[in-house]
Amino acid sequence: MMKPRPSLANSRRIVFASLFLCLFGALPAFATDGIYTKFGLDLGYAGRIGYMGGTTPEWAIYVYGAGTASSRFNALDISSPADATGLQVDGNVALAGVYSTLTVSGHTSINGDRYEQTTSTESIKSTGTITGTRFSNSTINSQLNDGVTSLKNVSIAAAGLTATAGSPTSINIGKNQSRIFDNTPFGGKYVMNLSSFVMGGGSNNGNGGTLTLNGAAGSAFVLNISGAFNLGGNAKILLTGGLTVSDVLFNVTGSNSTFSIGGDALFNGTLLAYNSSGAQRTLQISGHNTQINGELLANKISLQSGAHVKKPKEKSKEKDDDDDDAVASNSLLRARTSAK
């Protein structure tokens, strides 16, 4: 007797299931970023690519400042003038601290979802365009808390790394100046332990100085800054050679120095601020044409003057087809539906 042949529909199901397992099952093992693969710095829910099977939101902003029931903490304050253009935030936002508040005013436009503690609140009074959805439940509370723990651990671990031989102890790049660092001769790993990081000096579209970090995709840079961090005056931080924003970590520690990006500057990378031994800094961002490409993680962020923050879409390094997007999108959609 001949064995019955499986139906075409069943065959398709088998093929699809195999493809799903191949794509989705392999994702956590390979979908990583340079600071994780090279240094073991794992932002987890707060920003590692591929974490939880690649279903975590791609964060543009992750603020962790917390308040109390009687005294809420304004962790993210976004305000834009009437002539603001484009999107002030293009990517997802996390309010990870309990009793925190998101304040949006002026002509501010945001494209992205907001993931917040159940005790967090919003004050959105904007004449701009606000798209996306607010998600908040007990599961998200736990995930946001895990992310805060991860980012703190990353900051402490990064600050303890040994500086690469010959690396600078401070960076001060002024008008028409430039510096280039290449991690290739160092096995794709480069660490700077800096007392200060200051760039700028250009005006009226003039060159405010350029810092270029060069390395292959998946290699990494870690810049630890214990003092002032000031990027302004048309200064630019460029990534070349295949580096992505998740391959480069600016780890700002300490409590009482300048912490700002403005003056139509250009920043590329992941900017993390945490002080393990005292008060936390507030990141001040201004400048109508200031552009930040990457992720910002801080206790509090003030985004003013129409400045722009964008998290570029980053996929698994080994996946470059549309099926990967479809699987991740469908999974995230189911998670969001459940959250609602």
Side-chain angles (χ1 to χ4, degrees), residues 2-304:
M2 294 182 62
K3 293 183 179 180
R5 298 178 62 186
S7 68
L8 180 60
N10 284 337
S11 298
R12 286 174 174 169
R13 291 190 187 99
I14 293 172
V15 171
F16 178 79
S18 299
L19 179 62
F20 181 88
L21 289 173
C22 178
L23 290 174
F24 202 54
L27 192 57
F30 299 101
T32 53
D33 46 61
I35 64 171
Y36 175 65
T37 57
K38 290 295 186 181
F39 292 105
L41 300 173
D42 187 358
L43 284 170
Y45 189 77
R48 172 161 65 85
I49 301 173
Y51 186 74
M52 290 175 56
T55 61
T56 53
E58 293 192 63
W59 307 113
I61 294 175
Y62 200 103
V63 287
Y64 58 86
T68 64
S70 60
S71 180
R72 293 186 173 274
F73 183 77
N74 190 18
L76 181 56
D77 185 3
I78 309 175
S79 180
S80 304
D83 62 348
T85 58
L87 295 167
Q88 278 59 63
V89 179
D90 189 1
N92 297 311
V93 172
L95 262 67
V98 296
Y99 297 105
S100 56
T101 299
L102 164 65
T103 302
V104 181
S105 60
H107 192 66
T108 297
S109 294
I110 299 174
N111 176 40
D113 295 325
R114 288 106 56 209
Y115 293 76
E116 304 175 6
Q117 292 277 349
T118 51
T119 55
S120 296
T121 58
E122 296 182 340
S123 175
I124 299 179
K125 300 176 182 179
S126 173
T127 58
T129 302
I130 310 295
T131 62
T133 304
R134 180 183 187 270
F135 296 99
S136 182
N137 58 37
S138 59
T139 299
I140 291 174
N141 284 352
S142 178
Q143 291 169 335
L144 291 171
N145 291 337
D146 288 345
V148 174
T149 298
S150 294
L151 71 86
K152 290 179 179 179
N153 289 339
V154 164
S155 180
I156 294 170
L161 294 173
T162 300
T164 300
S167 63
T169 56
S170 65
I171 286 183
N172 192 328
I173 301 175
K175 182 178 181 181
N176 297 321
Q177 296 177 340
S178 64
R179 296 195 70 175
I180 301 175
F181 295 92
D182 189 348
N183 65 20
T184 307
F186 304 95
K189 299 167 62 176
Y190 198 103
V191 178
M192 303 182 202
N193 290 332
L194 308 172
S195 60
S196 62
F197 182 96
V198 179
M199 292 182 62
S203 59
N204 299 321
N205 297 318
N207 184 348
T210 303
L211 171 66
T212 301
L213 303 177
N214 184 75
S219 65
F221 280 87
V222 172
L223 289 78
N224 293 307
I225 302 105
S226 60
F229 180 96
N230 185 12
L231 184 66
N234 289 286
K236 295 178 175 61
I237 297 175
L238 305 178
L239 310 181
T240 61
L243 285 174
T244 71
V245 297
S246 293
D247 296 326
V248 178
L249 175 66
F250 291 79
N251 181 38
V252 180
T253 60
S255 62
N256 57 1
S257 295
T258 302
F259 188 28
S260 63
I261 302 175
D264 298 342
L266 172 63
F267 174 88
N268 286 287
T270 300
L271 179 58
L272 166 61
Y274 174 64
N275 178 26
S276 62
S277 60
Q280 305 299 329
R281 301 195 209 186
T282 295
L283 174 57
Q284 303 282 351
I285 305 171
S286 60
H288 190 81
N289 296 311
T290 296
Q291 179 68 50
I292 297 169
N293 299 315
E295 181 182 359
L296 303 176
L297 305 97
N299 185 66
K300 178 176 180 178
I301 296 176
S302 176
L303 179 61
Q304 307 294 316

